[in-house]
Amino acid sequence: MTGSSYPPAPSNRVFSGVQPTGNLTLGNYLGAIRNWVALQRDYDCLYCVVDLHALTIFQEPAELHRATRQAAAALIACGIDPDRHILFNQSLNPDHAELAWYFNCVARLGWLNRMTQFKEKAGKDRERASAGLFVYPNLMAADILAYRAGHVPVGDDQKQHLELANDIAAKFNHDWKVPDFFPEIEPLILGEATRVMSLRDGTKKMSKSDPSDMSRINLTDDADAIAQKIRKAKTDPEPLPETAEGFEGRPEARNLVTLYAALSGRTVKDALAEVGGAGFGDFKKKLADAAVAHLEPITTEMNRLLDDPAEIDRTLLAGGEKARVLSAPVIAQVREILGLVHV
Ligand code: AMP
Ligand code: TRP
């Protein structure tokens, strides 16, 4: 059996995912979701709330349920169109988990051992991390490749996982002699803010799981909370630099100006042409205004959607059905390639 026996992978398919743990942040929005929205114009997109990935760390069931609906509402409020594209939660399509098992048998322990996110999340006590956390990147590869999707918009922190997904795809194609069955994945890491940092520490990623709520802006924060968090954001005593070279050794200044640029639709260079030389006090007011102007309509729409959770569930279920229709033939082909007996 050769690759030519199978139809070519769709050239126009986008896949991406977000974990339903806590609330979505400005980092998720600027690093990923905003790009997901833009890609809907030219691609056929699948966007997934990855609840199976969330389970790699213990989740209270009621909280997981809440966070899944809330992530879906946030995505719709940001502009994901569940009618023209596909929005669903991962566990609705068991094909992801099946393909992930096959990939557990393709990926090498050595490859997984190099994953920096595992090292960060497992922390010092690696022995107590779940096995799921270790093979997490294999499930992520399965999410994408169950649809043979070639384009994946993510923030900078997911680059290493996508390289691993490409290694898995290449090894599968090679070992089972099906050249081109799984496509090469192109990471789409787009925009000015591909790595938004914590407001409390400019060397750490802004994360929904950071214990300090002051470290991040949540898509659920109201205008007062946003303004307060920006006012209290860590800075240094110098005025803002005139050029980006002046950010050397000043991670907080770099992060806040990058946020300002991304929120006002400009490059960092253009943003510095406006605010370079200013003190943090004045600049933070402008940044807070830009953040509120951008996020307020999203938060309002999200809250409106959350008033009708049954409707969100229906949307996710319908998306899950559409997703299964696309992955079913791929999984059937994979079983055939592997030599599994199925009727
Ligand atoms: P997660 O919250 O880890 O499920 O991430 C969902 C998407 O948001 C992924 O594409 C991440 O790369 C992106 N993302 C998460 N945090 C940040 C951040 N601080 N800056 C930029 N992108 C981010
Ligand atoms: N691992 C990603 C994150 O934490 C989420 C994710 C799961 C994902 N499956 C994916 C992203 C497939 C892109 C494609 O951010």
Side-chain angles (χ1 to χ4, degrees):
M1 192 78 58
T2 65
S4 57
S5 329
Y6 297 102
S11 60
N12 217 31
R13 199 170 277 172
V14 161
F15 185 98
S16 199
V18 60
Q19 291 198 62
T21 44
N23 296 313
L24 267 64
T25 69
L26 187 59
N28 293 126
Y29 177 68
L30 294 176
I33 298 164
R34 192 158 76 158
N35 300 323
W36 298 9
V37 173
L39 288 164
Q40 294 180 120
R41 219 190 55 179
D42 296 322
Y43 291 87
D44 299 322
C45 304
L46 293 117
Y47 294 128
C48 188
V49 181
V50 291
D51 47 9
L52 300 180
H53 274 99
L55 292 175
T56 54
I57 292 173
F58 179 79
Q59 306 292 326
E60 288 295 342
E63 171 55 21
L64 180 62
H65 202 113
R66 182 204 69 81
T68 302
R69 278 185 181 144
Q70 195 182 54
L75 293 177
I76 299 168
C78 288
I80 300 301
D81 180 346
D83 296 324
R84 301 180 65 167
H85 296 271
I86 299 179
L87 174 65
F88 67 114
N89 57 296
Q90 189 181 24
S91 59
L92 286 173
N93 185 356
D95 288 347
H96 295 227
E98 180 174 338
L99 188 58
W101 175 257
Y102 305 145
F103 287 173
N104 285 344
C105 303
V106 174
R108 307 289 93 182
L109 287 181
W111 303 355
L112 291 165
N113 266 325
R114 285 195 284 276
M115 294 296 112
T116 54
Q117 187 173 299
F118 173 75
K119 291 180 197 160
E120 277 162 28
K121 289 202 178 180
K124 288 201 179 60
D125 202 355
R126 227 184 104 118
E127 297 288 308
R128 291 179 62 89
S130 73
L133 190 67
F134 190 64
V135 295
Y136 173 119
N138 297 344
L139 178 59
M140 179 165 163
D143 295 339
I144 302 162
L145 294 171
Y147 306 95
R148 299 169 90 201
H151 311 277
V152 180
V154 285
D156 183 67
D157 62 328
Q158 296 302 313
K159 210 164 130 192
Q160 195 186 33
H161 289 158
L162 294 184
E163 285 162 8
L164 184 93
N166 273 329
D167 289 342
I168 292 174
K171 184 167 168 58
F172 182 98
N173 290 348
H174 174 268
D175 289 0
W176 281 277
K177 299 182 182 54
V178 283
D180 304 323
F181 181 74
F182 286 125
E184 180 160 349
I185 297 163
E186 179 200 14
L188 301 171
I189 300 175
L190 307 167
E192 284 295 309
T194 56
R195 188 170 177 83
V196 175
M197 309 310 278
S198 156
L199 298 179
R200 308 302 296 167
D201 177 352
T203 64
K204 264 174 52 188
K205 193 182 73 160
M206 181 181 286
S207 160
K208 28 183 153 73
S209 53
D210 192 309
S212 164
D213 193 56
M214 292 302 282
S215 70
R216 61 177 162 263
I217 293 177
N218 305 301
L219 295 187
T220 48
D221 285 344
D222 63 18
D224 287 346
I226 293 173
Q228 196 205 24
K229 287 178 178 180
I230 293 178
R231 210 166 42 241
K232 298 216 164 148
K234 183 172 172 207
T235 51
D236 58 46
E238 303 296 320
L240 290 172
E242 303 281 349
T243 64
E245 288 77 53
F247 287 138
E248 201 48 47
R250 303 182 64 189
E252 286 82 17
R254 181 195 300 275
N255 187 41
L256 295 181
V257 174
T258 303
L259 284 179
Y260 185 59
L263 286 166
S264 53
R266 283 182 289 183
T267 60
V268 168
K269 189 163 170 261
D270 288 347
L272 278 179
E274 184 200 336
V275 299
F280 275 105
D282 289 341
F283 167 64
K284 281 179 163 181
K285 288 198 193 82
K286 281 183 193 246
L287 175 59
D289 287 347
V292 169
H294 215 94
L295 297 182
E296 208 164 37
I298 294 176
T299 311
T300 308
E301 176 60 5
M302 192 168 142
N303 288 333
R304 190 188 69 77
L305 292 165
L306 286 168
D307 278 345
D308 189 357
E311 177 61 20
I312 298 175
D313 293 355
R314 275 194 295 276
T315 301
L316 288 172
L317 277 174
E321 291 298 319
K322 288 197 277 183
R324 287 183 79 152
V325 170
L326 296 182
S327 63
V330 179
I331 296 299
Q333 288 155 7
V334 169
R335 291 180 190 141
E336 182 182 72
I337 290 167
L338 294 173
L340 302 171
V341 177
H342 274 265
V343 280

